[in-house]
Amino acid sequence: MLNFVTTNPGKVREATEYLDDEVEQFDFDYPEVQADDLKTVAAEGARAAYRAADGPVIVDDAGLFIDAFDGFPGPYSSYVEDTVGVERVWRMTEPEDDRGAAFKTVIAYCDGEGFEATPDPGGIDREDRRGQDLAADDRGAATTDEQVHDGSAGRSSETVPVKLFEGRVNGEIVAPRGEGGFGFDPIFEHDGTTFAEMSTEQKNAISHRGRALSKFAEWYGER
Ligand code: ITT
Ligand code: NA
């Protein structure tokens, strides 16, 4: 049994579709460290949640990165959804020539154990360089082992190992359409369809979260 640590039922819906009964929501608002990258937030969140939960945890830290604004709101997406709101993020982006954007997520797994080192083919950066999203069957071994703070592979309490899985999908910011999904889904269009117009299954097949979950599921299944 795996605790999916989140306050967001939309994420749980997507994860259970991938991982079946193996996953259960652990509704815990882990303290988000002040950091401008998803990896750090997810990794620290997983460590905090692992201490609070009774068993292995996954944490999913996601964000919407708008090209014209150098990746804003990115790691601050939750705050921006609550303050500015989704509709006004569209209206801010509307005057821009380039309305390109990406959703990214980092899933962090922690069970208090160490992990065997895996070769790091670059994860999200590899996808960035390609400038295109990965084909659905291109799952690669794009996982990363988080560097522990003291540079060793030790297991002292401050450096509980965390395994990271990244996913990214490119799209465009559009006027809101669709009733499904959650968060910024109505304004994120991919191949002519917004994420809010897709079923959970359709969104999972191409989304940032679906990709990260499939990498996680492959690795977890082999353990
Ligand atoms: P937890 O931290 O409790 O998991 P959250 O909703 O705050 O829930 P994030 O910090 O990861 O999760 O999300 C950042 C923002 O991005 C937040 O406003 C989400 O609604 C939004 N978001 C995350 N994944 C999304 C997705 O797949 N589609 C649309 N919006 C998404
Ligand atoms: Na959050």
Side-chain angles (χ1 to χ4, degrees):
M1 180 47 85
L2 201 52
N3 296 290
F4 192 117
V5 183
T6 182
T7 60
N8 184 331
K11 289 184 182 179
V12 179
R13 208 165 45 237
E14 292 172 16
T16 46
E17 174 117 8
Y18 247 104
L19 308 170
D20 306 314
D21 327 327
E22 280 176 285
V23 63
E24 189 169 273
Q25 179 172 7
F26 180 51
D27 192 339
F28 174 64
D29 198 5
Y30 58 85
E32 291 200 5
V33 292
Q34 276 294 330
D36 57 9
D37 68 303
L38 301 179
K39 284 186 188 179
T40 305
V41 175
E44 289 304 317
R47 291 189 179 100
Y50 170 70
R51 286 192 291 271
D54 195 17
V57 295
I58 51 177
V59 158
D60 169 316
D61 194 46
L64 176 68
F65 294 73
I66 300 175
D67 296 343
F69 307 139
D70 280 336
F72 173 88
Y76 308 105
S77 294
S78 183
Y79 181 65
V80 168
E81 185 188 346
D82 292 345
T83 52
V84 175
V86 172
E87 165 80 30
R88 278 198 286 168
V89 170
W90 150 244
R91 279 192 263 132
M92 265 167 56
T93 314
E94 189 179 11
E96 301 294 327
D97 294 329
D98 177 5
R99 297 183 193 150
F103 270 128
K104 298 182 195 177
T105 194
V106 174
I107 289 179
Y109 173 84
C110 183
D111 63 8
E113 303 292 322
F115 309 109
E116 264 173 52
T118 48
D120 178 10
I124 223 162
D125 297 330
R126 179 172 59 118
E127 294 167 63
D128 274 338
R129 272 199 300 278
R130 282 169 58 161
Q132 279 287 351
D133 33 67
L134 292 173
D137 61 344
D138 183 0
R139 292 173 185 176
T143 58
T144 52
D145 292 298
E146 217 234 343
Q147 290 297 323
V148 289
H149 298 308
D150 63 1
S152 78
R155 294 191 192 184
S156 68
S157 57
E158 316 88 320
T159 58
V160 177
V162 167
K163 186 87 176 167
L164 302 179
F165 304 86
E166 312 179 66
R168 176 205 172 108
V169 60
N170 293 334
E172 246 188 74
I173 303 300
V174 297
R177 296 196 321 263
E179 305 296 322
F182 65 92
F184 297 97
D185 282 344
I187 63 165
F188 189 85
E189 187 186 76
H190 178 84
D191 278 347
T193 308
T194 71
F195 274 9
E197 294 174 315
M198 298 180 188
S199 67
T200 301
E201 198 182 357
Q202 288 169 323
K203 181 181 166 186
N204 266 344
I206 53 156
S207 76
H208 52 311
R209 182 160 301 103
R211 287 182 178 138
L213 284 168
S214 91
K215 290 171 188 173
F216 169 74
E218 194 175 351
W219 174 81
Y220 192 65
E222 279 169 13
R223 287 189 92 213

